[in-house]
Amino acid sequence: MELSPRSKPYIIPEYSLTGDLISFLTCNLQYRYQNRGTLPPSMPIQLWFGEFIHGVMEESFLEWDIKKTKFPWDWKKQIRPIEEMIDKRLRARGLYPPLDFFCKYEKGEVGTSGSCPDENHPHKLLYSARAEKAINIWGPDLFPLINSAEVLIKGKRPMPNYNNENSRSNYYGINGVIDVISSLKIKENTDNKIIKYLNNNEDFLKKLDYFKHDEYEIIIDYKGMKRPALKSDNWLYHQWQILTYAWLRSKQEESKPILAGIIFYLNELVPSTEDLIAIKQDIDNNCSDVEISKEEKSKILNWDENKDNYINLSDKLKQDRSIRIIDIEESSISNALNQFDGVVGNIEDSIIKEMNGILIKNAWNAKGDKRTCDACDFKSFCGKHLADSMKIP
């Protein structure tokens, strides 16, 4: 009996919304080295904090869900143990915290070799301060609303620009992880400040007026960054991400109609000096979508980061800038899916170019902005960085 040869394995490329698509949009070449080349950055500041704050919020919710611990939580006794657990998980993946922003030492290490040099250990540095504020400001209102935490959502779409001879597959997979709020829990918590933000959102109220069912869902995501400038690239990318999450969630059997998405920009609760400079620029350029009092606007615009001390924003402004509500519409979802289809098409095109022998720097476009380039480990041999440095000012 003649045996037929084994057919080639058929693999559908899988893409994560944050780990792949938004990373590629930030800089194609950096994405190639870090994500596909598995070369971790030496100073993964934004990457580390993004992973860290997601983990802290999820573990804090699970802790609250079991014990119903009252707020506010004490940082040393209740929050720091969670931080250390998440830090260990990230270290196991090769991600280490930037020492200027997070105390890496565990309780009991003081006085030993390689220990924290200060007896007032542990230190509540910037990232711990943000974690504490995120839990104690949003936790009391957010945690009681969450119906499902860390929901993995996956789907597949036709491969853009499919070509039978060159394309790796006729479909691609797309995935993400979300938290879900249900309408039933919303109705039980009418004094909740997150619900008050929803009730002050005109798009949400209009949709609610026309909605004919009793049950619906709201998608939640966290970002370890400041609120992007209005209509900036990140502003649009994050909107597309939530809309794509809504599409993926709608494909799951247990899902209900999705009326809105919420992003929490957790840097806004404890902004760094760099964040404050960017906030000032956004307000000065009319690129901020958050209402602000005349007094506070004047205080921010008159602040000189080179002469004055750190400026304290009001708690109201910090919270207003921290929460962003995104309307969910079918037409918007379709546009977001088309946008990410285009991103996948560009990634696949670069992969195929490289497979055909084209040099990495020619197959992948270097397109990072100045902030991305300054923190990038690959700038010493990146064509874009060298070209920019040679430009005449």
Side-chain angles (χ1 to χ4, degrees):
M1 182 178 67
E2 184 177 349
L3 298 176
S4 61
R6 178 183 295 178
S7 60
K8 293 182 179 181
Y10 186 78
I11 299 174
I12 297 178
E14 187 84 11
Y15 289 103
S16 160
L17 276 162
T18 53
D20 290 299
L21 303 189
I22 292 181
S23 295
F24 178 82
L25 286 167
T26 301
C27 177
N28 305 173
L29 186 60
Q30 186 187 74
Y31 165 78
R32 165 60 179 84
Y33 287 127
Q34 288 184 187
N35 296 58
R36 303 197 65 82
T38 62
L39 296 175
S42 61
M43 293 295 290
I45 294 178
Q46 186 167 323
L47 173 62
W48 189 91
F49 182 63
E51 298 272 1
F52 170 77
I53 199 64
H54 263 91
V56 166
M57 293 301 288
E58 298 308 331
E59 287 298 330
S60 298
F61 166 73
L62 295 175
E63 178 95 359
W64 174 88
D65 196 36
I66 294 170
K67 300 179 180 178
K68 295 297 187 288
T69 311
K70 292 183 179 180
F71 296 95
W73 289 12
D74 180 84
W75 180 70
K76 280 192 177 181
K77 294 180 180 179
Q78 295 165 291
I79 299 176
R80 180 62 185 181
I82 295 174
E83 292 183 357
E84 291 176 349
M85 177 174 59
I86 300 303
D87 181 33
K88 285 182 180 178
R89 290 181 188 172
L90 294 177
R91 287 171 186 269
R93 294 168 48 196
L95 292 174
Y96 293 85
L99 299 183
D100 292 340
F101 300 103
F102 182 79
C103 181
K104 69 175 183 177
Y105 302 101
E106 296 184 21
K107 185 177 180 181
E109 285 189 314
V110 176
T112 62
S113 176
S115 67
C116 182
D118 194 316
E119 63 182 10
N120 296 318
H121 172 78
H123 294 88
K124 190 197 299 181
L125 301 181
L126 178 62
Y127 288 172
S128 292
R130 286 174 175 167
E132 180 188 31
K133 289 292 185 182
I135 291 168
N136 285 329
I137 288 177
W138 291 122
D141 298 282
L142 176 61
F143 292 171
L145 296 180
I146 293 177
N147 187 57
S148 302
E150 288 284 278
V151 178
L152 175 63
I153 47 177
K154 301 180 69 173
K156 69 176 183 178
R157 290 183 58 76
M159 179 66 73
N161 306 318
Y162 174 73
N163 183 295
N164 188 48
E165 295 183 1
N166 295 321
S167 297
R168 297 194 297 161
S169 169
N170 56 346
Y171 288 94
Y172 75 90
I174 186 169
N175 65 71
V177 177
I178 59 170
D179 287 351
V180 178
I181 286 176
S182 78
S183 60
L184 297 179
K185 294 203 173 187
I186 288 176
K187 293 172 184 177
E188 296 170 359
N189 296 271
T190 54
D191 292 331
N192 187 293
K193 67 184 173 189
I194 294 175
I195 296 173
K196 290 179 180 178
Y197 274 103
L198 287 169
N199 288 333
N200 286 328
N201 183 276
E202 292 183 3
D203 291 331
F204 177 76
L205 291 179
K206 286 179 182 176
K207 179 164 283 188
L208 202 57
D209 286 340
Y210 289 100
F211 193 65
K212 298 179 181 179
H213 306 282
D214 292 331
E215 294 187 57
Y216 57 87
E217 293 179 341
I218 293 172
I219 290 173
I220 301 292
D221 191 28
Y222 311 104
K223 296 290 183 187
M225 61 184 295
K226 72 170 278 292
R227 190 186 192 95
L230 184 65
K231 304 301 182 184
S232 64
D233 286 346
N234 278 333
W235 177 268
L236 294 173
Y237 298 163
H238 297 167
Q239 182 185 43
W240 298 344
Q241 180 187 347
I242 291 294
L243 291 165
T244 305
Y245 279 161
W247 177 77
L248 289 169
R249 174 62 176 169
S250 70
K251 302 300 180 182
Q252 296 184 316
E253 290 184 5
E254 72 275 18
S255 69
K256 306 295 187 298
I258 300 159
L259 260 61
I262 297 177
I263 298 177
F264 291 99
Y265 294 105
L266 298 178
N267 283 28
E268 296 287 350
L269 300 176
V270 187
S272 65
T273 300
E274 185 180 10
D275 291 330
L276 289 170
I277 293 170
I279 291 170
K280 178 182 176 181
Q281 291 173 344
D282 292 347
I283 294 173
D284 194 34
N285 296 328
N286 294 318
C287 292
S288 175
D289 64 310
V290 176
E291 290 187 11
I292 180 173
S293 68
K294 290 182 179 179
E295 293 78 11
E296 193 151 27
K297 182 178 182 180
S298 176
K299 181 173 73 171
I300 295 170
L301 293 178
N302 290 325
W303 172 61
D304 187 341
E305 63 272 15
N306 297 314
K307 297 179 181 179
D308 302 328
N309 294 325
Y310 181 89
I311 183 173
N312 287 313
L313 305 182
S314 68
D315 291 341
K316 182 181 185 305
L317 181 59
K318 289 177 183 178
Q319 290 182 32
D320 289 349
R321 288 187 55 84
S322 177
I323 185 171
R324 178 185 176 191
I325 298 170
I326 295 177
D327 187 36
I328 306 294
E329 295 286 351
E330 287 298 325
S331 58
S332 301
I333 290 175
S334 178
N335 175 62
L337 292 172
N338 288 334
Q339 295 290 345
F340 280 138
D341 282 345
V343 175
V344 170
N346 290 334
I347 294 174
E348 289 290 318
D349 184 56
S350 294
I351 291 172
I352 292 169
K353 285 180 180 178
E354 189 178 336
M355 290 171 61
N356 290 334
I358 296 177
L359 295 175
I360 290 177
K361 287 197 292 185
N362 294 332
W364 302 81
N365 182 30
K367 54 165 286 186
D369 58 20
K370 184 179 183 303
R371 188 174 182 180
T372 300
C373 289
D374 288 345
C376 184
D377 292 329
F378 316 116
K379 62 185 177 184
S380 60
F381 55 88
C382 169
K384 178 182 185 299
H385 176 77
L386 295 173
D388 289 347
S389 65
M390 295 175 64
K391 289 181 181 178
I392 299 175

